[in-house]
Amino acid sequence: MQVTRSQISLFLCLLSCASSLGTRYTPDWASLDARPLPEWYDEVKFGIFVHWGGFSVPAFGSEWFWWYWKVALKPEYILFMVKNYPPGFSYTDFAPDFHAQFFDPDEWADIFEASGAKYVVLTSKHHEGFTNWGSPTSWNWNSVDNGPHRDLVGDLGAAIRKRSLHYGLYHSLYEWFNPIYLSDKQSGFKTQEFVEKKAMPELYDLVNRYKPDLIWSDGDWEAPDTYWNSTGFLAWLYNDSPVKDVVVTNDRWGLGCYCKHGGYYNCADKFTPGELPNHKWEKCQSVDTVSWGYRRNMKLSELMDLPSIIKDIVYVVALGGNYLLNVGPTSDGMIAPVFEERLRGIGAWLKVNGEAIYATKPWRVQAENATVPVWYTSKSSTVYAIFTSNPMQNSFKLLTPKTSYNTVVTLLGNPEPLKWAPLQTTGLIVLLPDLPFTPADAWTLKLDEVA
């Protein structure tokens, strides 16, 4: 029987697919780090981070309230407790007041969708150890047995997915005051009772129960990954879990891992590289620049304004990153109006300019400063030049793009082609129209057929 060229091509394609589907990862970093990052993550670019837990009840200072009060012994935290709570009041006494009585997951999901975010990451458990679901290994220190008496992780996840957004879960490996963890720590992490009885059972439970698209690990830095059994968990996650083909992970899996091992890199909180990194990365940033959790004592001057957020998003995406912007809800389940206003403002800007953000790639040059500072993103032969200050003039120079006879320049939000002329060897000068008002103070030039 004669085999045709198309049959050979089909066979090779099937062989390639089978090989890809059959990839098994071993519990070591060389194997795990070789796993390709699922494509959806690089395409979405912008997500919402939500810090919510027992710390939302005192809502003072920081989500690290318990630590600052009892370990760091910060005077302002001690004074806050002396002034507002009776003697003998413990941190665990806050939990019954975590009512979440106004929590409407559909309302939250509507706000997040309106922001233009494509993924949402909720704290399933912060360093205090309180879990936002009925963890079987966190008796009476969880949102089903105590406080809201609701499965917060499950309720929000259902609402998020109804809007076709990706759902991720933050999980702290360590717990400040868990006696089993402290015993392991006392042994120099030669024992692993906390990992075997608490940390790993919770991670497996979260994945099997809620099937998150993303695991945002944290609280890893006191012990090496060998203590946490991180590589064993990740091998299962990538090989056999119900989300093995879509799940994305970060880099916080043990002392010395961040910016080195895992899926994408967070590196430090609010990571701000000065040049294009050679690995997919994410900047997590909070609207409240002082705290990730909600603070009743926050001031307007401590919050990022809309232009600052848009500048940050543009810079991050131009350098190949994703932007995860945090808001801290109140203990009664509300997203503060000032946070909602910021999120809806981002969404309004992205409705016009999202083409220059979503599913883009870093261009050969990420930034330049001619007429005003410009950040570049790209898709194939289309380049986007995003500027975050009004040049206050009609002529606008771009020094880097190489134009051709087929080059077309438009301002996103305005379909009319703009007049332009080439500069000497590279670059062009564009005649700008009157720029439309935007509270974000950012505009985008779309350049088709440039190099």
Side-chain angles (χ1 to χ4, degrees):
M1 182 182 72
Q2 188 174 8
V3 179
T4 66
R5 183 174 296 177
S6 61
Q7 287 173 320
I8 293 172
S9 298
L10 178 60
F11 173 75
L12 291 174
C13 177
L14 291 171
L15 190 65
S16 172
C17 292
S19 173
S20 174
L21 291 171
T23 300
R24 298 285 297 179
Y25 299 96
T26 52
D28 58 84
W29 289 120
S31 175
L32 298 169
D33 289 345
R35 177 183 182 253
L37 193 71
E39 289 182 5
W40 72 262
Y41 181 76
D42 184 51
E43 293 174 354
V44 295
K45 303 300 183 189
F46 173 46
I48 302 296
F49 212 176
V50 183
H51 274 67
W52 202 28
F55 49 80
S56 306
V57 177
F60 175 86
S62 168
E63 74 287 347
W64 279 57
F65 184 97
W66 197 0
W67 180 269
Y68 290 151
W69 174 30
K70 289 298 185 181
V71 178
L73 301 177
K74 288 197 170 188
E76 62 269 34
Y77 289 80
I78 295 170
L79 186 60
F80 173 82
M81 292 305 298
V82 169
K83 281 185 172 181
N84 296 287
Y85 295 92
F89 191 95
S90 69
Y91 187 84
T92 54
D93 293 329
F94 284 125
D97 290 329
F98 181 20
H99 296 301
Q101 70 268 38
F102 300 130
F103 173 48
D104 181 343
D106 285 302
E107 187 175 88
W108 283 25
D110 284 341
I111 294 170
F112 298 154
E113 183 180 40
S115 77
K118 303 300 182 185
Y119 65 111
V120 176
V121 179
L122 172 69
T123 49
S124 67
K125 182 191 75 172
H126 201 256
H127 313 321
E128 64 186 6
F130 186 90
T131 68
N132 282 331
W133 86 103
S135 168
T137 56
S138 191
W139 181 82
N140 208 40
W141 191 231
N142 67 74
S143 66
V144 175
D145 294 336
N146 208 332
H149 297 287
R150 289 181 67 171
D151 179 359
L152 304 178
V153 171
D155 289 352
L156 183 60
I160 292 297
R161 285 178 163 141
K162 277 194 289 188
R163 288 151 184 82
S164 299
L165 305 180
H166 291 275
Y167 189 45
L169 294 175
Y170 166 107
H171 174 268
S172 174
L173 289 169
Y174 88 151
E175 297 176 17
W176 290 319
F177 302 111
N178 188 300
I180 308 175
Y181 175 72
L182 294 177
S183 175
D184 283 353
K185 186 176 178 179
Q186 185 68 31
S187 77
F189 298 111
K190 292 181 176 67
T191 59
Q192 292 178 288
E193 189 178 0
F194 177 77
V195 176
E196 293 164 359
K197 292 184 176 178
K198 187 72 163 66
M200 282 299 138
E202 282 187 340
L203 271 173
Y204 282 91
D205 184 47
L206 282 171
V207 172
N208 284 318
R209 196 186 300 204
Y210 302 109
K211 301 174 178 56
D213 297 327
L214 188 153
I215 300 284
W216 212 102
S217 183
D218 197 20
D220 62 318
W221 54 81
E222 289 191 344
D225 63 272
T226 49
Y227 166 74
W228 296 115
N229 287 342
S230 297
T231 56
F233 169 74
L234 290 172
W236 169 80
L237 187 69
Y238 297 164
N239 290 328
D240 301 310
S241 79
V243 290
K244 61 186 176 65
D245 296 323
V246 298
V247 72
V248 171
T249 63
N250 67 343
D251 57 352
R252 298 185 182 184
W253 295 102
L255 179 65
C257 280
Y258 91 0
C259 252
K260 185 177 178 183
H261 294 305
Y264 66 85
Y265 293 168
N266 284 122
C267 303
D269 286 354
K270 304 180 182 180
F271 179 51
T272 306
E275 59 185 14
L276 181 67
N278 60 8
H279 190 93
K280 182 63 188 181
W281 64 285
E282 176 188 73
K283 179 175 183 177
C284 57
Q285 173 69 50
S286 189
V287 176
D288 178 354
T289 60
V290 175
S291 174
W292 300 89
Y294 178 76
R295 295 184 303 136
R296 289 179 288 172
N297 60 324
M298 69 180 175
K299 298 174 182 176
L300 190 62
S301 61
E302 296 165 333
L303 307 184
M304 294 182 76
D305 61 16
L306 181 61
S308 299
I309 295 170
I310 296 299
K311 279 184 183 179
D312 218 17
I313 292 174
V314 169
Y315 143 77
V316 167
V317 174
L319 264 60
N322 276 26
Y323 194 70
L324 187 64
L325 183 66
N326 178 77
V327 293
T330 66
S331 62
D332 50 17
M334 295 297 294
I335 293 173
V338 67
F339 293 156
E340 180 179 349
E341 187 225 17
R342 296 292 191 272
L343 297 184
R344 292 189 183 276
I346 299 166
W349 186 80
L350 285 169
K351 275 187 177 178
V352 176
N353 298 276
E355 179 184 338
I357 299 294
Y358 304 122
T360 57
K361 300 290 184 185
W363 195 42
R364 59 181 176 84
V365 173
Q366 289 79 58
E368 68 165 66
N369 190 354
T371 307
V372 293
V374 168
W375 291 100
Y376 287 110
T377 62
S378 69
K379 287 178 189 170
S380 303
S381 61
T382 298
V383 172
Y384 301 93
I386 309 170
F387 49 106
T388 55
S389 60
N390 192 325
M392 306 302 288
Q393 62 186 56
N394 292 116
S395 61
F396 193 90
K397 280 185 183 178
L398 295 172
L399 302 179
T400 311
K402 297 176 181 178
T403 61
S404 71
Y405 289 114
N406 298 320
T407 296
V408 177
V409 182
T410 52
L411 180 74
L412 288 187
N414 182 350
E416 293 299 317
L418 303 180
K419 293 181 179 178
W420 63 274
L423 297 177
Q424 291 180 347
T425 52
T426 64
L428 67 161
I429 185 164
V430 180
L431 187 62
L432 286 180
D434 291 336
L435 294 175
F437 170 75
T438 168
D441 285 341
W443 300 264
T444 304
L445 288 175
K446 178 180 180 180
L447 293 83
D448 284 311
E449 301 299 328
V450 297

